[in-house]
Amino acid sequence: MTADELMTRPDVEALLGLSRASIYRLMRGGHLPEPIRIGLRAVRWRRSEIEAYLAGCPRATGLAA
């Protein structure tokens, strides 16, 4: 696996632990990187961009807000 590996939506879902709808909601909100179009009906995400998104997520502290 390389940092520039291209990931399918199911790969991104599995890595993030999110549903398809949640992934597209985060993209619309500008929080998750947009995919790369590789065909008429095919898109992929760069693993490095998804991992950077994860690195920027705050850690859970266990404290209620």
Side-chain angles (χ1 to χ4, degrees):
M1 240 183 293
T2 66
D4 290 333
E5 174 187 1
L6 296 179
M7 301 174 65
T8 63
R9 184 184 41 80
D11 293 338
V12 174
E13 289 174 8
L15 183 62
L16 297 179
L18 296 172
S19 69
R20 175 180 175 227
S22 294
I23 289 170
Y24 283 100
R25 187 177 315 113
L26 287 169
M27 284 178 11
R28 278 193 308 274
H31 303 288
L32 195 63
E34 296 285 331
I36 300 164
R37 183 161 300 282
I38 62 168
L40 292 176
R41 296 181 57 195
V43 296
R44 299 289 186 272
W45 285 260
R46 283 191 177 98
R47 177 174 286 279
S48 60
E49 292 179 349
I50 298 300
E51 289 176 349
Y53 164 78
L54 279 175
C57 290
R59 296 211 178 252
T61 61
L63 301 175

